[in-house]
Amino acid sequence: MKSDHSQPSHFKDRRSDRTAVGETAQLRHHDWYSVEVKVHDVSQCGFMAECASPVQIGSYVSLDVPGVGPVRAQVRWQIGGRMGGMFLDPISLNRCEWTAIKAEPPKAAA
Protein backbone atom coordinates (compact mmCIF):
# COMPACT_ATOMS: atom_id res chain seq x y z
CA MET A 1 0.00 0.00 0.00
CA LYS A 2 1.40 3.37 -1.02
CA SER A 3 1.29 6.08 1.62
CA ASP A 4 0.39 9.62 0.68
CA HIS A 5 2.82 12.08 2.34
CA SER A 6 1.18 15.17 0.88
CA GLN A 7 -0.28 17.66 3.33
CA PRO A 8 -3.98 18.41 3.55
CA SER A 9 -5.05 21.44 1.52
CA HIS A 10 -5.59 23.56 4.66
CA PHE A 11 -1.89 23.25 5.65
CA LYS A 12 0.35 26.11 4.56
CA ASP A 13 3.78 25.52 3.04
CA ARG A 14 6.70 26.98 4.98
CA ARG A 15 7.83 30.32 3.60
CA SER A 16 11.51 29.65 4.28
CA ASP A 17 13.88 26.82 5.13
CA ARG A 18 14.72 26.14 8.76
CA THR A 19 18.22 25.73 10.14
CA ALA A 20 18.95 23.59 13.22
CA VAL A 21 20.32 25.64 16.12
CA GLY A 22 20.37 23.93 19.55
CA GLU A 23 21.33 27.11 21.49
CA THR A 24 19.76 28.97 24.42
CA ALA A 25 18.30 32.47 24.22
CA GLN A 26 16.15 34.85 26.25
CA LEU A 27 12.47 35.19 25.37
CA ARG A 28 10.82 38.34 26.70
CA HIS A 29 7.24 39.51 26.90
CA HIS A 30 7.50 43.32 27.07
CA ASP A 31 9.17 44.07 30.41
CA TRP A 32 6.89 41.67 32.28
CA TYR A 33 9.05 38.55 32.18
CA SER A 34 12.05 36.90 30.62
CA VAL A 35 12.57 33.14 30.29
CA GLU A 36 15.42 31.08 28.90
CA VAL A 37 14.45 28.94 25.92
CA LYS A 38 16.38 26.41 23.88
CA VAL A 39 16.01 27.33 20.23
CA HIS A 40 15.82 24.16 18.12
CA ASP A 41 15.58 25.80 14.72
CA VAL A 42 15.31 29.20 13.08
CA SER A 43 14.39 30.61 9.69
CA GLN A 44 14.05 34.09 8.26
CA CYS A 45 10.41 34.05 9.32
CA GLY A 46 10.35 32.30 12.69
CA PHE A 47 11.68 29.82 15.22
CA MET A 48 10.84 26.72 17.21
CA ALA A 49 12.01 26.50 20.81
CA GLU A 50 11.68 24.50 23.99
CA CYS A 51 10.23 26.54 26.85
CA ALA A 52 9.60 25.24 30.38
CA SER A 53 7.02 27.98 31.09
CA PRO A 54 3.65 28.25 29.35
CA VAL A 55 3.49 31.08 26.83
CA GLN A 56 0.15 32.46 25.68
CA ILE A 57 -0.58 31.66 22.03
CA GLY A 58 -1.04 34.90 20.13
CA SER A 59 1.10 36.93 22.54
CA TYR A 60 3.89 39.18 21.30
CA VAL A 61 7.40 38.43 22.53
CA SER A 62 10.99 39.33 21.77
CA LEU A 63 13.69 36.71 21.11
CA ASP A 64 17.35 37.67 21.60
CA VAL A 65 19.06 36.47 18.42
CA PRO A 66 22.89 36.72 18.56
CA GLY A 67 24.20 38.98 15.80
CA VAL A 68 20.73 40.38 15.10
CA GLY A 69 19.54 41.58 18.52
CA PRO A 70 16.02 41.44 19.97
CA VAL A 71 13.52 40.29 17.34
CA ARG A 72 9.79 40.80 17.83
CA ALA A 73 7.65 37.74 17.20
CA GLN A 74 4.16 36.38 17.77
CA VAL A 75 3.70 33.03 19.52
CA ARG A 76 1.81 30.86 17.02
CA TRP A 77 1.61 27.55 18.88
CA GLN A 78 2.70 25.68 21.99
CA ILE A 79 2.46 21.93 22.51
CA GLY A 80 3.86 20.65 25.78
CA GLY A 81 7.24 22.28 26.26
CA ARG A 82 7.70 23.28 22.61
CA MET A 83 6.56 26.51 21.03
CA GLY A 84 6.75 28.24 17.69
CA GLY A 85 7.04 31.92 16.93
CA MET A 86 6.65 33.96 13.75
CA PHE A 87 8.92 36.99 13.41
CA LEU A 88 6.98 40.19 12.74
CA ASP A 89 9.71 41.23 10.29
CA PRO A 90 11.91 38.62 8.57
CA ILE A 91 15.52 38.49 9.77
CA SER A 92 18.75 38.10 7.81
CA LEU A 93 20.31 34.73 8.59
CA ASN A 94 23.60 36.14 7.26
CA ARG A 95 23.79 38.30 10.41
CA CYS A 96 22.59 35.55 12.77
CA GLU A 97 25.48 34.02 14.74
CA TRP A 98 23.54 30.75 15.06
CA THR A 99 23.53 30.18 11.31
CA ALA A 100 26.61 32.07 10.10
CA ILE A 101 29.47 30.04 8.68
CA LYS A 102 32.25 30.05 11.24
CA ALA A 103 35.48 31.57 9.94
CA GLU A 104 38.70 29.68 10.50
CA PRO A 105 41.52 31.68 12.08
CA PRO A 106 44.44 32.32 9.74
CA LYS A 107 47.20 29.74 9.93
CA ALA A 108 50.48 30.95 11.37
CA ALA A 109 53.34 31.23 8.92
CA ALA A 110 56.06 28.64 9.47
Side-chain angles (χ1 to χ4, degrees), residues 21 23 66 96-105:
V21 175
E23 300 286 340
C96 176
E97 291 178 15
W98 290 329
T99 60
I101 297 171
K102 307 288 189 253
E104 294 291 325

Side-chain angles (χ1 to χ4, degrees), residues 19-21 42 65-68 92-103:
T19 302
V21 175
V42 68
V65 179
V68 177
S92 169
L93 294 182
N94 293 334
R95 292 179 45 211
C96 176
E97 291 178 15
W98 290 329
T99 60
I101 297 171
K102 307 288 189 253

Side-chain angles (χ1 to χ4, degrees), residues 2-59:
K2 183 179 175 184
S3 70
D4 183 12
H5 291 288
S6 63
Q7 294 181 347
S9 62
H10 62 276
F11 279 26
K12 293 181 181 179
D13 288 333
R14 292 204 186 277
R15 291 186 287 173
S16 56
D17 292 334
R18 298 201 169 244
T19 302
V21 175
E23 300 286 340
T24 59
Q26 290 297 309
L27 184 74
R28 294 180 171 76
H29 185 271
H30 302 291
D31 290 328
W32 299 337
Y33 67 82
S34 175
V35 294
E36 185 174 87
V37 296
K38 181 172 183 178
V39 179
H40 287 276
D41 63 46
V42 68
S43 73
Q44 292 177 324
C45 298
F47 66 97
M48 192 266 286
E50 199 169 325
C51 182
S53 303
V55 181
Q56 183 176 354
I57 295 170
S59 65

Side-chain angles (χ1 to χ4, degrees), residues 66-88:
V68 177
V71 181
R72 294 184 60 221
Q74 183 182 37
V75 177
R76 303 297 290 195
W77 59 269
Q78 184 170 30
I79 300 173
R82 294 199 175 205
M83 54 140 330
M86 179 182 74
F87 296 136
L88 299 185

